Amino acid sequence: MCSLQELCSGLPLRPLPENRGRRAGVPHAPVRTPGLSPAEEQLALKNALRYFPPDVQEVLAPEFAQELRLYGHIYMYRFCPDLEMRAYPVERYPCRTRAAAAIMLMIMNNLDPAVAQFPQELVTYGGNGQVFSNWAQFWLTMSYLAQMTEEQTLVMYSGHPLGLFPSSPEAPRLVITNGMVIPNYSSRTEYEKLFAMGVTMYGQMTAGSYCYIGPQGIVHGTVLTVLNAGRRYLGLQDLAGKVFVTSGLGGMSGAQAKAAVIVGCIGVIAEVDGAALMKRHRQGWLMEVTDSLDRCIERLREARKRKEVLSLGYHGNVVDLWERLVHELDTTGELLVDLGSDQTSCHNPFNGGYYPVQLGFAEAQGLMASDPTAFKSLVQESLRRHVSAINRLAREHFFFWDYGNAFLLEAQRAGADVGKPGANRTEFRYPSYVQHIMGDIFSQGFGPFRWVCTSGDPQDLAVTDRLATSALEEIVAAGVTPAVKLQYVDNIRWIQEAAKHQLVVGSQARILYSDQKGRVAIAVAFNQAIARGELKAPVVLSRDHHDVSGTDSPFRETSNIYDGSAFCADMAVQNFVGDAFRGATWIALHNGGGVGWGEVINGGFGLVLDGTEDAEQKARRVLSWDVANGVSDRQHPSRLSPVQTADPPPSGKVARRCWSGSPMAYEVICQTMREDSGMVVTLPHAVTDERLLQALRL
């Protein structure tokens, strides 16, 4: 077994490590079918071999060619390290800078088998969210980070470490781009070829930016989503006895089981992959499992009657579950479900993200590799059945939303009945969770802020929980609007109960939703605690790319834009650039994430707090911009819908993720932000006279 010192010493070449191939007992990515021509296959092999000197290429060429034929990609399994992959305490990394050591910790956490979905294929979550394209890139990146000084920046091109370049202590130590393909060539088909050739990569969101913290991140988002869905659709604060049906127990979707328990409802989650289901059960996040639909319905009825808190995993296809719920409704008149969604990886529906109901899991994987066209046809038929069952239930008092996984988009492409009369391109029969729920929260500046204690000590995490709670409570005590107070109260309760729910998987990390003022206050409190020795090591600040400013995604984060700009990506790109020169330790910009390749532009950052005054000033600048960009963007006149009145219209109908129809509400937000950070914002003028639009008829 190699050591961290060896891991940071460059590619192991003399001697070459033993080729152990794909390990048994570890989940593996589905076989890819890129459809390369013979010339493209040769190019893929050349691109893989260029990481190695000529004297070892003769040994590696046959096995790399075999990987390409068998798996549709060259992962370089020989170079998968013989080491326990996890987030080690930061002081154990042999680096010249604290920033580099923190980045190493974050990379290894993304590849920890307890965290990663397919660790040997370097996939963290979402079925195809890569950290790197191959293991040579991992070794070289770790080596560069070990060498890096405070006057160098490491540049990453879609998993490929371009190298270390001179910069300055104020510059980012790491700049990442993933999937920056020319727009006309950013199709799913082209992606499969380009990835197989080793020249681009789908980094999802926090996989390729090294900021994933395990399923805890999506647990909190799902808690807020289900909690606010209950408030909006059912008019309830207490969800006891209410049933939430969904699918997916993988890298991200696995959070749904835990979230159901935290909000106090009955969660029934279908999963076709038995390994994924049992992983969540062993983790304690899934309370019960069954592979019997009869038992599933029986247990659901019992829990409803007793108002139990329950997370029940059904080992089977979610379409079967939805159709059984329809059967129960039609034969007994009993509606057994109140809320529903879907978290299959529908951004990648034909390569393992969605399994058709007509086939078992293993049979589907075989057809996916042997006959992709037939597999695609079955997936689209399954999607039509899936939607048909949901439509029947929705005629009763049942509410469904799209969870931003491209479910409704792919269902529409499959010919399912998801249309909405008079809708624009981003609207369907059912809303996305951004359009009806999270968009309102984003509009107030609240989004998924997170941190990692690099000491690896749970006691440090407990200290940060206490400091964060105090910071938010002080803000509430100083006075905030009722809508903002509700968000703070939800998140204070979350952080106070976080330890009880045993949310940590991998690094000692935490997430909460906060606005600009809260994020800055928390960062300052952490940095001061490091300075006085209350925290033993630096803290990494980050966020999900799915945030106030981080993502332009017309079928998710920006789905509630109605002025035509939902398909524009200025906000995400400006965020990436702005974070860079305000002091972020590393920055990332991605094509794809959430809804899929070619559908999204998103970015993120990492910021290392080390207890210095310089770190505090960087945190103030970065966190202020990182929220202000998105909130200000939603106030821009070009983002407004044609008519705006003083009375609140339907949610999201005024501007980007608008939470109130009142122009004064925007002024309150922006005035507060100006006072906090010295910003000057262009506020919109309301168009209140519809007669002005008659000029179009002249």
Side-chain angles (χ1 to χ4, degrees), residues 86-87 105 108-110 112 114-115 212-215 283 452 456 503-509:
R86 64 181 178 87
L105 179 153
M108 292 188 70
N109 185 68
N110 273 23
D112 181 341
V115 173
Y212 192 61
I213 59 167
Q283 218 170 36
V452 175
L503 296 164
V504 171
V505 178
S507 59
Q508 293 295 316

Side-chain angles (χ1 to χ4, degrees), residues 372-620:
T373 301
F375 182 79
K376 178 178 179 179
S377 178
L378 290 179
V379 165
Q380 293 189 321
E381 180 187 328
S382 184
L383 282 166
R384 292 192 293 271
R385 284 175 57 180
H386 197 152
V387 168
S388 179
I390 290 167
N391 288 349
R392 170 65 187 96
L393 294 166
R395 287 174 8 215
E396 312 300 326
H397 195 64
F398 159 72
F399 302 92
F400 182 89
W401 66 88
D402 183 289
Y403 215 115
N405 59 337
F407 172 70
L408 291 178
L409 179 63
E410 289 300 333
Q412 180 190 58
R413 290 168 175 167
D417 183 14
V418 295
K420 176 182 176 182
N424 66 27
R425 283 195 290 168
T426 65
E427 291 181 294
F428 299 98
R429 176 191 291 258
Y430 305 105
S432 79
Y433 74 122
V434 170
Q435 287 169 330
H436 269 198
I437 303 168
M438 299 307 292
D440 293 351
I441 294 172
F442 284 168
S443 290
Q444 298 171 73
F446 283 81
F449 178 58
R450 55 180 60 167
W451 62 88
V452 175
C453 296
T454 66
S455 66
D457 187 342
Q459 288 303 311
D460 269 7
L461 186 60
V463 171
T464 62
D465 285 349
R466 176 176 54 78
L467 292 171
T469 300
S470 296
L472 299 186
E473 287 176 338
E474 288 174 11
I475 293 171
V476 172
V480 293
T481 66
V484 169
K485 183 177 180 179
L486 178 63
Q487 298 307 319
Y488 273 123
V489 169
D490 281 349
N491 281 280
I492 289 169
R493 185 188 312 118
W494 160 267
I495 209 77
Q496 288 173 334
E497 296 179 357
K500 176 181 74 177
H501 292 299
Q502 298 180 317
L503 296 164
V504 171
V505 178
S507 59
Q508 293 295 316
R510 188 69 78 221
I511 185 172
L512 59 76
Y513 271 52
S514 183
D515 60 359
Q516 177 193 17
K517 181 174 283 191
R519 296 185 203 203
V520 171
I522 289 169
V524 170
F526 288 177
N527 199 58
Q528 292 175 354
I530 296 166
R532 61 177 178 262
E534 190 175 353
L535 291 171
K536 303 177 188 67
V539 171
V540 173
L541 301 181
S542 184
R543 59 163 170 76
D544 196 346
H545 298 198
H546 167 66
D547 193 20
V548 180
S549 304
T551 300
D552 284 296
S553 176
F555 294 100
R556 194 164 86 172
E557 284 80 358
T558 47
S559 61
N560 61 337
I561 297 177
Y562 297 92
D563 71 340
S565 66
F567 296 87
C568 301
D570 300 86
M571 181 177 69
V573 175
Q574 288 283 358
N575 222 68
F576 166 82
V577 174
D579 284 346
F581 64 74
R582 286 176 173 86
T585 308
W586 75 94
I587 52 172
L589 186 67
H590 296 186
N591 171 6
V595 182
W597 180 264
E599 307 283 0
V600 189
I601 296 293
N602 63 88
F605 76 92
L607 176 64
V608 177
L609 296 177
D610 59 8
T612 62
E613 176 63 26
D614 183 54
E616 180 175 322
Q617 292 308 311
K618 287 179 177 179
R620 289 182 183 276

